């Protein structure tokens, strides 16, 4: 099935830009980079020249002789058995992390042959490990691709009319119960599947939960294989242990990452490098605590206190072996972990929207707010609740202390805006910027 991705608009914008450079798309493995690029080439160009560097020594050799871009273009045309034409042919270099020379060549394409449209794709992990001199700093445009967000998931489920309606609705009018009743089950299923494209496609086409979980298990195993393949041998056990500890870390009441839970007696100096490896690979997000919500937020961050979340909420659920029924039945069983899963969902949506990691706020042992984001000159606290219980002393403490123009409380309950507090349903978070804009105007 064809998945509609938000990044397509960015690709079209890149194509039409006068000062366009070769584009590098990075992202975790299996998030849909190759499919999207081929779809983009099919829809926007007369033809596409696709080259995959993984296990392709003959292709890599084209870049070993020298990095003359005109020679390379000519030889690639011979390999492709089709003339590569400026403006008319999209050139795709897939898995470019397997050729440091090809990565370096992007600089010369940018400088000498800017009329050729070139997009490269690679895993965040492989690109992070590329030799320092090979990365064409300042000579490429960059985009990051992630698993499907909830809005993209709605489109994958054929809900174009629903998406159009929600995108265009006004906060003052609210949402009818009919719309809510349609969104809530879709949101619950998204927590089960997450946004990995193969998982979503399988669910939409078959509705087979067992098939979904087999694919999720395969993805998790493939990531472990990547640890073994790319990480230093001595670091592999530590990376694997940190990775497997994430559900347990989040299930604790504070959610704070504790090195000692990975391995008894372990400290930051023992595991920090391995943790950074996972962060660089894009597989986990590190949400750091701030002591004060002021601009710039980074100036008030304390990197010794943080939480770790996963790049895909469905993979987190599967890794934790949380049954799908626990999400659908609405019971209080496993409530702590369901809370962590919900936080991970909101974080994934925020990262998709802002393309950066938010912070969380904690005031000694008195209060804690799940996420803090900056929107223009406003700093907005966000409290996340997985259930219908909206009691939140922490958000109240934050508001009394800092008096933000707007605070967000997100749960499954209905949308409303009153006295600077926006009750934002979890199933609307994908439309957060538009709703936030309306709320700020009131």
């Amino acid at each position: 099935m064809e998945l509609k991705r938000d990044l397509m608009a960015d690709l079209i914008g890149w194509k039409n830009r006068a000062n366009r450079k070769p584009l590098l798309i990075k992202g975790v493995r299996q998030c849909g980079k190759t499919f999207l690029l081929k779809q983009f080439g099919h829809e926007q160009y007369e033809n596409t020249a696709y080259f995959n560097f993984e296990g392709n020594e003959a292709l890599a050799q084209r870049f070993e002789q020298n990095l003359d871009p005109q020679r390379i273009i000519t030889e690639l045309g011979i390999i492709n058995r089709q003339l590569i034409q400026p403006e008319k042919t999209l050139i795709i270099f897939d898995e470019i992390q397997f050729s440091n020379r090809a990565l370096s060549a992007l600089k010369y394409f940018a400088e000498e042959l800017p009329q050729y449209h070139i997009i490269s794709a690679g895993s965040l992990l492989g690109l992070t490990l590329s030799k320092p001199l090979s990365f064409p700093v300042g000579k490429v445009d960059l985009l990051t691709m992630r698993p499907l967000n909830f809005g993209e998931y709605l489109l994958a489920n054929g809900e174009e009319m629903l998406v159009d309606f929600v995108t265009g609705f006004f906060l003052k009018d609210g949402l009818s119960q009919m719309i809510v009743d349609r969104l809530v089950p879709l949101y619950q299923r998204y927590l089960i599947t997450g946004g990995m494209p193969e998982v979503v496609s399988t669910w939409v086409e078959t509705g087979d939960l067992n098939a979904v979980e087999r694919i999720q298990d395969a993805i998790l195993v493939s990531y472990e294989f990547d640890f073994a393949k790319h990480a230093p041998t001595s670091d592999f056990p530590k990376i694997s242990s940190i990775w497997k500890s994430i559900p347990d870390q989040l299930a604790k009441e504070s959610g704070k990452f504790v090195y000692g839970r990975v391995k008894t007696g372990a400290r930051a100096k023992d595991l920090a490098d391995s943790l950074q490896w996972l962060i660089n690979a894009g597989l986990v997000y590190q949400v750091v605590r701030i002591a004060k919500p002021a601009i710039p937020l980074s100036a008030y961050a304390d990197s010794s206190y943080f939480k770790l979340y996963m790049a895909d909420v469905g993979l987190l659920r599967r890794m934790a072996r949380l049954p799908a029924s626990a999400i659908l039945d609405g019971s209080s069983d496993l409530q702590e972990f369901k809370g962590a899963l919900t936080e991970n969902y909101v974080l994934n949506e925020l990262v998709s929207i802002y393309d950066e990691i938010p912070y969380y706020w904690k005031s000694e042992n008195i209060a804690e707010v799940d996420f803090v984001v900056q929107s223009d000159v406003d700093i907005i606290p966000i409290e996340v609740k997985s259930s219908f219980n909206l009691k939140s002393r922490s958000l109240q403490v934050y508001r009394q202390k800092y008096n933000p123009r707007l605070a967000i409380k997100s749960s499954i309950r209905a949308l409303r805006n009153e006295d600077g507090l926006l009750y934002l349903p979890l199933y609307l978070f994908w439309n957060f910027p538009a709703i936030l804009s309306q709320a700020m105007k009131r």
Side-chain angles (χ1 to χ4, degrees), residues 13 15 87 94 125 156 172 176 207 240 262 290 388 407 421:
K15 176 180 185 287
E87 311 290 338
D94 206 356
L125 175 57
K172 61 181 178 61
S176 69
S240 182
V262 177
I290 56 169
F388 284 91
L421 182 59

Side-chain angles (χ1 to χ4, degrees), residues 268-332:
K269 67 182 183 65
D270 303 314
L271 299 174
D273 288 347
S274 298
L275 172 60
Q276 192 61 48
W277 194 95
L278 281 169
I279 294 169
N280 291 344
L283 295 172
V284 302
Y285 296 135
Q286 183 183 38
V287 179
V288 176
R289 185 184 76 170
I290 56 169
K292 178 182 177 181
I295 298 174
L297 290 170
S298 58
Y300 301 91
D302 181 355
S303 59
S304 63
Y305 288 83
F306 60 90
K307 301 179 183 182
L308 277 191
Y309 296 91
M310 288 178 59
D312 181 74
V313 68
L315 294 182
L316 174 62
R317 180 200 67 84
R318 186 57 184 160
M319 185 186 285
R321 292 299 187 264
L322 180 70
S325 58
I327 293 172
L328 299 175
D329 66 16
S331 70
S332 60

Side-chain angles (χ1 to χ4, degrees), residues 370-411:
D370 297 311
F371 301 111
V372 177
V373 298
Q374 182 179 339
S375 177
D376 197 13
V377 297
D378 288 290
I379 296 174
I380 301 167
I382 301 171
E383 183 74 10
V384 180
K385 297 290 184 182
S386 63
S387 65
F388 284 91
N389 178 16
L390 294 184
K391 293 181 180 179
S392 177
R393 178 176 175 272
S394 291
L395 190 58
Q396 183 180 355
V397 169
Y398 181 102
R399 295 182 72 201
Q400 290 174 347
K401 188 175 179 68
Y402 299 110
N403 192 32
R405 189 150 71 105
L406 186 72
I408 308 290
K409 188 176 290 188
S410 190
S411 75

Side-chain angles (χ1 to χ4, degrees), residues 179-246:
I179 298 296
V180 172
D181 289 345
R182 195 173 185 93
L183 283 166
V184 170
L186 286 161
Y187 160 71
Q188 292 173 326
R189 291 168 199 161
Y190 181 75
L191 292 185
I192 294 168
T193 66
M196 298 303 282
E198 186 182 1
V199 174
V200 174
S201 295
T202 299
W203 174 254
V204 172
E205 291 170 357
T206 70
D208 185 345
L209 180 61
N210 289 328
V212 161
E213 294 188 336
R214 282 196 299 271
I215 295 169
Q216 289 173 324
D217 289 341
I219 292 172
L220 291 169
V221 169
S222 73
Y223 287 165
E224 291 257 10
F225 282 153
D226 275 347
F227 303 162
K229 180 178 180 180
H230 294 290
T233 304
S234 60
D235 288 345
F236 168 68
K238 293 184 285 186
I239 292 170
S240 182
S241 295
I242 293 171
W243 172 249
K244 291 176 180 176
S245 79
I246 293 174

Side-chain angles (χ1 to χ4, degrees), residues 86-369:
E87 311 290 338
K88 297 180 180 180
T89 303
L90 175 64
I91 304 168
I92 300 175
F93 291 153
D94 206 356
E95 302 292 358
I96 196 171
Q97 73 272 10
F98 286 98
S99 173
N100 285 299
R101 294 277 292 177
L103 193 56
S104 296
L106 297 180
K107 170 186 175 182
Y108 301 98
F109 281 108
E111 293 175 344
E112 300 177 34
L113 296 178
Q115 66 271 33
Y116 284 90
H117 292 210
I118 301 174
I119 302 183
S120 300
S123 72
L124 270 167
L125 175 57
L127 292 169
T128 298
L129 296 176
S130 63
K131 295 177 182 177
L133 294 178
S134 67
F135 196 87
V137 177
K139 299 298 181 179
V140 292
D141 294 321
L142 294 169
L143 286 174
T144 300
M145 191 167 189
R146 300 182 174 88
L148 280 78
N149 59 37
F150 184 52
E152 292 171 322
Y153 178 81
L154 290 174
L155 293 176
N157 279 269
E159 296 288 356
E160 288 88 354
M161 291 181 65
L162 180 62
V163 168
D164 287 344
F165 177 82
V166 174
T167 301
F169 92 104
F170 292 99
L171 181 59
K172 61 181 178 61
D173 298 329
L175 286 177
S176 69
Q177 191 60 44
M178 179 185 73
I179 298 296
V180 172
D181 289 345
R182 195 173 185 93
L183 283 166
V184 170
L186 286 161
Y187 160 71
Q188 292 173 326
R189 291 168 199 161
Y190 181 75
L191 292 185
I192 294 168
T193 66
M196 298 303 282
E198 186 182 1
V199 174
V200 174
S201 295
T202 299
W203 174 254
V204 172
E205 291 170 357
T206 70
D208 185 345
L209 180 61
N210 289 328
V212 161
E213 294 188 336
R214 282 196 299 271
I215 295 169
Q216 289 173 324
D217 289 341
I219 292 172
L220 291 169
V221 169
S222 73
Y223 287 165
E224 291 257 10
F225 282 153
D226 275 347
F227 303 162
K229 180 178 180 180
H230 294 290
T233 304
S234 60
D235 288 345
F236 168 68
K238 293 184 285 186
I239 292 170
S240 182
S241 295
I242 293 171
W243 172 249
K244 291 176 180 176
S245 79
I246 293 174
D248 174 63
Q249 301 267 4
L250 287 174
K252 303 299 182 184
E253 185 175 355
S254 70
K256 175 180 177 291
F257 184 86
V258 178
Y259 289 100
R261 289 188 191 140
V262 177
K263 182 180 179 181
T264 303
R267 292 177 292 177
K269 67 182 183 65
D270 303 314
L271 299 174
D273 288 347
S274 298
L275 172 60
Q276 192 61 48
W277 194 95
L278 281 169
I279 294 169
N280 291 344
L283 295 172
V284 302
Y285 296 135
Q286 183 183 38
V287 179
V288 176
R289 185 184 76 170
I290 56 169
K292 178 182 177 181
I295 298 174
L297 290 170
S298 58
Y300 301 91
D302 181 355
S303 59
S304 63
Y305 288 83
F306 60 90
K307 301 179 183 182
L308 277 191
Y309 296 91
M310 288 178 59
D312 181 74
V313 68
L315 294 182
L316 174 62
R317 180 200 67 84
R318 186 57 184 160
M319 185 186 285
R321 292 299 187 264
L322 180 70
S325 58
I327 293 172
L328 299 175
D329 66 16
S331 70
S332 60
D333 295 340
L334 305 171
Q335 195 59 50
E336 279 191 5
F337 187 76
K338 283 193 281 188
L341 192 73
T342 308
E343 287 178 27
N344 207 131
Y345 159 76
V346 169
L347 173 65
N348 291 159
E349 296 297 305
L350 289 171
V351 172
S352 177
I353 292 164
Y354 291 107
D355 199 28
E356 60 184 40
I357 313 299
Y359 296 87
Y360 81 98
W361 172 81
K362 187 169 185 177
S363 176
E364 299 174 347
N365 292 318
I366 302 172
E368 179 179 313
V369 172

